[in-house]
Amino acid sequence: MEDAPTPTLRIRPGGPADAPAILAMLDSAVAWMNARGNTEQWGTIPYSQRPQGPARVEQYTTHHTPYIAELDGTPVGALVLHTGPSPDLPIPPAPEPERYVRLLVTDRRHAGQGIGAALLAHAAEETRRAGVHLLRVDCWAGGGGALVAFYQRNGFTPATPFQSGPTGTWPGRLLTRRLP
């Protein structure tokens, strides 16, 4: 009996046609977090039903630099790079050129397969290719810091903590990665 072939992960540039797949991944991530009791990180409303959710994803795919991870042609992850942090966050731009991870999401049905790590490695590669030496990301720092630890395992160093959100109580952490 022959073993089934291992699916091949491919990362490609994204675009506006990928918005529905990105929204579906964001919606499934919210449901997955909520099922585990995490209602603080991304709330309880599916991203596609938020007043600015679809418009934000459209902007990610038209005014930023999106990348899509695919397993045998099926989107299973998305990463969005930009030249700086979101103006909605209390994070100043870096004093040097940078690339900033504005979004990283994976299809939870493929959790644990290294898709997020592969997308972050691709972000580092693209940052180097652009001649830039600083890659930054921010993330939710609650929940025992598991997400911060994920970024640390992927070469980032914790930097400034911050509070965000409508009530200023969402715990965030800025992380940096220097590239040769």
Side-chain angles (χ1 to χ4, degrees):
M1 185 189 291
E2 242 179 78
D3 289 337
T6 303
T8 302
L9 184 68
R10 177 180 152 234
I11 298 174
R12 63 167 175 81
D18 295 304
I22 295 170
L23 276 171
M25 284 184 257
L26 287 165
D27 284 352
S28 72
V30 170
W32 180 82
M33 284 185 253
N34 288 184
R36 283 151 185 75
N38 178 350
T39 59
E40 297 171 24
Q41 183 176 348
W42 282 359
T44 58
I45 299 169
Y47 212 84
S48 62
Q49 295 175 21
R50 295 177 189 187
Q52 298 302 316
R56 180 172 284 177
V57 170
E58 181 182 339
Q59 183 178 27
Y60 284 159
T61 63
T62 57
H63 294 85
H64 296 69
T65 308
Y67 295 96
I68 304 298
E70 296 179 330
L71 280 175
D72 291 338
T74 301
V76 294
L79 173 119
V80 175
L81 282 179
H82 197 53
T83 57
S86 169
D88 297 335
L89 294 175
I91 299 171
E96 65 184 273
E98 69 174 316
R99 291 298 178 267
Y100 202 97
V101 176
R102 288 277 189 101
L103 175 71
L104 176 66
V105 64
T106 60
D107 183 327
R108 299 314 307 163
R109 293 173 295 182
H110 298 279
Q113 294 182 11
I115 295 164
L119 283 163
L120 289 173
H122 187 78
E125 211 175 283
E126 291 297 321
T127 300
R128 271 191 216 98
R129 190 173 292 138
V132 175
H133 302 286
L134 178 62
L135 179 62
R136 296 196 306 167
V137 65
D138 62 76
C139 71
W140 185 60
L147 193 51
V148 172
F150 165 77
Y151 284 110
Q152 285 181 278
R153 287 191 306 274
N154 284 280
F156 288 83
T157 301
T160 314
F162 64 92
Q163 298 289 317
S164 187
T167 60
T169 58
W170 189 88
R173 173 70 75 162
L174 176 66
L175 297 102
T176 63
R177 182 172 175 191
R178 285 256 160 229
L179 301 166

Coordinates of all heavy atoms in Angstrom, one line a residue, residues 127-171:
T127 N 11.6 40.9 3.9 CA 12.2 42.1 4.6 C 13.6 42.2 4.2 O 14.1 43.3 3.8 CB 12.0 42.0 6.1 OG1 10.6 41.9 6.4 CG2 12.6 43.2 6.8
R128 N 14.4 41.1 4.2 CA 15.8 41.1 3.8 C 15.9 41.5 2.3 O 16.8 42.3 2.0 CB 16.4 39.8 4.0 CG 17.0 39.5 5.3 CD 17.9 38.3 5.3 NE 17.7 37.6 6.6 CZ 16.9 36.6 6.9 NH1 16.1 36.1 6.0 NH2 16.9 36.1 8.1
R129 N 15.0 40.9 1.5 CA 15.1 41.2 0.1 C 14.9 42.7 -0.2 O 15.4 43.2 -1.2 CB 14.0 40.3 -0.6 CG 14.1 40.4 -2.1 CD 13.1 39.4 -2.8 NE 13.5 38.0 -2.5 CZ 12.7 37.0 -2.1 NH1 11.4 37.3 -2.1 NH2 13.2 35.8 -1.8
A130 N 14.1 43.3 0.6 CA 13.8 44.8 0.5 C 15.0 45.6 1.0 O 14.9 46.9 0.9 CB 12.5 45.2 1.2
G131 N 16.0 45.0 1.6 CA 17.1 45.7 2.1 C 16.8 46.3 3.5 O 17.5 47.3 3.9
V132 N 15.8 45.8 4.1 CA 15.4 46.3 5.4 C 15.9 45.4 6.5 O 15.9 44.2 6.3 CB 13.9 46.5 5.5 CG1 13.4 46.9 6.8 CG2 13.4 47.5 4.4
H133 N 16.3 45.9 7.7 CA 16.9 45.0 8.7 C 16.0 44.9 10.0 O 16.5 44.3 10.9 CB 18.3 45.6 9.1 CG 19.2 45.6 7.9 ND1 19.8 44.5 7.3 CD2 19.6 46.7 7.1 CE1 20.5 44.9 6.3 NE2 20.4 46.2 6.1
L134 N 14.8 45.5 9.9 CA 14.0 45.4 11.1 C 12.6 44.9 10.7 O 11.9 45.5 9.8 CB 13.9 46.8 11.8 CG 13.0 46.9 13.0 CD1 13.5 46.1 14.1 CD2 12.8 48.4 13.4
L135 N 12.2 43.9 11.4 CA 10.8 43.3 11.2 C 10.2 43.4 12.6 O 10.8 43.0 13.6 CB 10.9 41.9 10.8 CG 9.6 41.1 10.6 CD1 8.8 41.8 9.5 CD2 9.9 39.7 10.2
R136 N 9.0 44.0 12.6 CA 8.3 44.1 13.9 C 6.9 43.5 13.8 O 6.3 43.4 12.7 CB 8.2 45.6 14.4 CG 9.5 46.2 14.7 CD 9.5 47.5 15.5 NE 8.6 48.5 14.9 CZ 8.2 49.6 15.5 NH1 8.6 49.8 16.8 NH2 7.4 50.5 14.9
V137 N 6.3 43.2 14.9 CA 5.0 42.7 15.0 C 4.4 43.0 16.4 O 5.2 43.2 17.4 CB 4.9 41.1 14.8 CG1 5.7 40.4 15.9 CG2 3.5 40.6 14.7
D138 N 3.1 43.2 16.5 CA 2.5 43.3 17.8 C 1.5 42.2 18.0 O 1.0 41.6 17.0 CB 1.8 44.7 18.0 CG 0.7 44.9 17.0 OD1 -0.4 44.3 17.2 OD2 0.9 45.7 16.0
C139 N 1.2 41.9 19.3 CA 0.3 40.8 19.5 C -0.4 41.0 20.9 O 0.1 41.8 21.7 CB 1.0 39.4 19.4 SG 2.1 39.0 20.8
W140 N -1.4 40.2 21.1 CA -2.1 40.1 22.4 C -1.1 39.4 23.4 O -0.5 38.4 23.1 CB -3.3 39.3 22.2 CG -4.2 39.2 23.4 CD1 -4.8 40.3 24.0 CD2 -4.6 38.0 24.1 NE1 -5.6 39.8 25.1 CE2 -5.5 38.5 25.2 CE3 -4.3 36.7 24.0 CZ2 -6.1 37.6 26.0 CZ3 -4.9 35.8 24.8 CH2 -5.8 36.2 25.9
A141 N -0.9 40.1 24.5 CA 0.0 39.6 25.5 C -0.7 38.9 26.7 O -0.1 38.4 27.6 CB 0.9 40.7 26.0
G142 N -2.0 38.8 26.6 CA -2.8 38.1 27.7 C -2.7 36.6 27.5 O -1.9 36.1 26.8
G143 N -3.6 35.9 28.3 CA -3.6 34.5 28.2 C -2.3 33.8 28.6 O -2.0 32.7 28.0
G144 N -1.6 34.3 29.5 CA -0.4 33.7 29.9 C 0.8 33.9 29.0 O 1.9 33.3 29.2
G145 N 0.6 34.8 28.0 CA 1.7 35.1 27.1 C 2.1 34.1 26.0 O 3.2 34.1 25.5
A146 N 1.1 33.2 25.7 CA 1.4 32.1 24.8 C 1.7 32.6 23.4 O 2.6 32.1 22.7 CB 0.3 31.1 24.7
L147 N 1.1 33.7 23.0 CA 1.3 34.3 21.6 C 2.7 35.0 21.6 O 3.4 34.9 20.6 CB 0.2 35.2 21.2 CG 0.1 35.6 19.8 CD1 0.2 34.4 18.8 CD2 -1.1 36.5 19.5
V148 N 3.0 35.6 22.7 CA 4.3 36.3 22.8 C 5.4 35.2 22.6 O 6.4 35.3 21.9 CB 4.5 37.1 24.1 CG1 5.9 37.6 24.2 CG2 3.5 38.3 24.1
A149 N 5.2 34.1 23.3 CA 6.2 32.9 23.3 C 6.3 32.4 21.9 O 7.4 32.0 21.4 CB 5.8 31.9 24.3
F150 N 5.2 32.3 21.1 CA 5.2 31.8 19.8 C 6.1 32.7 18.9 O 7.0 32.2 18.2 CB 3.8 31.8 19.2 CG 3.7 31.7 17.7 CD1 4.0 30.5 17.1 CD2 3.5 32.8 16.9 CE1 4.0 30.4 15.7 CE2 3.5 32.7 15.5 CZ 3.7 31.5 14.9
Y151 N 6.0 34.0 19.1 CA 6.8 34.9 18.3 C 8.3 34.8 18.7 O 9.2 34.9 17.9 CB 6.3 36.4 18.4 CG 5.1 36.6 17.5 CD1 3.8 36.8 18.1 CD2 5.2 36.6 16.1 CE1 2.7 37.0 17.3 CE2 4.1 36.8 15.3 CZ 2.8 37.0 15.9 OH 1.7 37.2 15.1
Q152 N 8.5 34.6 20.0 CA 9.9 34.4 20.5 C 10.5 33.2 19.8 O 11.7 33.2 19.4 CB 9.9 34.3 22.0 CG 9.7 35.6 22.7 CD 9.8 35.5 24.2 OE1 8.8 35.1 24.8 NE2 11.0 35.8 24.7
R153 N 9.7 32.1 19.8 CA 10.2 30.9 19.1 C 10.6 31.1 17.7 O 11.3 30.3 17.0 CB 9.2 29.7 19.3 CG 9.1 29.2 20.6 CD 8.3 27.9 20.7 NE 7.0 28.0 20.1 CZ 5.9 28.4 20.7 NH1 6.0 28.8 22.0 NH2 4.7 28.4 20.1
N154 N 10.0 32.2 17.1 CA 10.2 32.5 15.7 C 11.1 33.6 15.5 O 11.1 34.3 14.4 CB 8.9 32.7 15.0 CG 8.1 31.4 14.8 OD1 8.5 30.6 13.8 ND2 7.2 31.0 15.6
G155 N 12.0 33.9 16.4 CA 13.1 34.8 16.3 C 12.9 36.3 16.7 O 13.7 37.1 16.5
F156 N 11.7 36.5 17.3 CA 11.4 37.9 17.8 C 11.8 38.1 19.2 O 11.7 37.1 20.0 CB 9.9 38.2 17.6 CG 9.5 38.4 16.1 CD1 9.2 37.3 15.4 CD2 9.4 39.6 15.6 CE1 8.8 37.4 14.0 CE2 9.0 39.8 14.3 CZ 8.7 38.7 13.5
T157 N 12.1 39.3 19.6 CA 12.4 39.7 20.9 C 11.4 40.6 21.5 O 11.0 41.6 20.8 CB 13.8 40.4 21.0 OG1 14.8 39.5 20.4 CG2 14.2 40.8 22.4
P158 N 10.8 40.3 22.7 CA 9.8 41.2 23.2 C 10.4 42.6 23.5 O 11.5 42.7 23.9 CB 9.4 40.5 24.6 CG 9.8 39.1 24.4 CD 11.0 39.1 23.5
A159 N 9.6 43.6 23.1 CA 10.0 45.0 23.3 C 8.9 45.6 24.2 O 8.6 45.1 25.3 CB 10.2 45.7 22.0
T160 N 8.4 46.7 23.8 CA 7.5 47.5 24.6 C 6.1 46.9 24.8 O 5.4 46.5 23.9 CB 7.2 48.8 23.8 OG1 8.5 49.3 23.4 CG2 6.6 49.8 24.7
P161 N 5.6 46.8 26.1 CA 4.2 46.4 26.3 C 3.4 47.7 26.1 O 3.8 48.8 26.2 CB 4.2 46.0 27.8 CG 5.4 46.7 28.4 CD 6.4 46.9 27.3
F162 N 2.1 47.4 25.8 CA 1.2 48.6 25.6 C -0.2 48.1 25.9 O -0.5 46.9 26.0 CB 1.3 49.1 24.2 CG 0.9 48.2 23.1 CD1 -0.5 48.1 22.7 CD2 1.8 47.3 22.5 CE1 -0.8 47.2 21.6 CE2 1.4 46.4 21.5 CZ 0.1 46.4 21.1
Q163 N -1.1 49.1 26.1 CA -2.5 48.8 26.4 C -3.3 49.4 25.2 O -2.9 50.5 24.8 CB -3.0 49.4 27.7 CG -2.3 48.9 28.9 CD -2.7 47.4 29.2 OE1 -3.9 47.1 29.2 NE2 -1.8 46.6 29.6
S164 N -4.3 48.7 24.7 CA -5.0 49.3 23.6 C -6.5 48.9 23.8 O -6.9 48.5 24.8 CB -4.5 48.6 22.3 OG -5.1 49.2 21.2
G165 N -7.3 49.1 22.7 CA -8.7 48.8 22.7 C -9.5 49.9 23.2 O -9.0 51.0 23.7
P166 N -10.8 49.8 23.0 CA -11.7 51.0 23.3 C -11.6 51.4 24.8 O -11.8 52.6 25.1 CB -13.1 50.4 23.0 CG -13.0 49.1 22.3 CD -11.5 48.7 22.4
T167 N -11.4 50.5 25.7 CA -11.3 50.8 27.1 C -9.8 50.9 27.6 O -9.6 51.2 28.7 CB -12.0 49.8 28.0 OG1 -11.4 48.5 27.8 CG2 -13.5 49.8 27.6
G168 N -8.9 50.7 26.7 CA -7.5 50.8 27.0 C -7.0 49.7 27.9 O -6.0 49.9 28.7
T169 N -7.7 48.5 27.9 CA -7.3 47.4 28.8 C -6.9 46.2 28.1 O -6.6 45.2 28.7 CB -8.5 47.1 29.7 OG1 -9.6 46.7 28.9 CG2 -8.9 48.2 30.6
W170 N -6.7 46.3 26.7 CA -6.3 45.1 25.9 C -4.8 45.1 26.1 O -4.1 46.0 25.6 CB -6.7 45.3 24.5 CG -6.5 44.1 23.6 CD1 -7.4 43.1 23.4 CD2 -5.4 43.9 22.7 NE1 -6.9 42.2 22.4 CE2 -5.6 42.7 22.0 CE3 -4.2 44.6 22.5 CZ2 -4.8 42.2 21.1 CZ3 -3.3 44.1 21.5 CH2 -3.6 42.9 20.8
P171 N -4.2 44.0 26.7 CA -2.7 43.9 26.9 C -2.0 43.5 25.6 O -2.3 42.4 25.0 CB -2.6 42.9 28.0 CG -3.7 42.0 27.8 CD -4.9 42.8 27.3

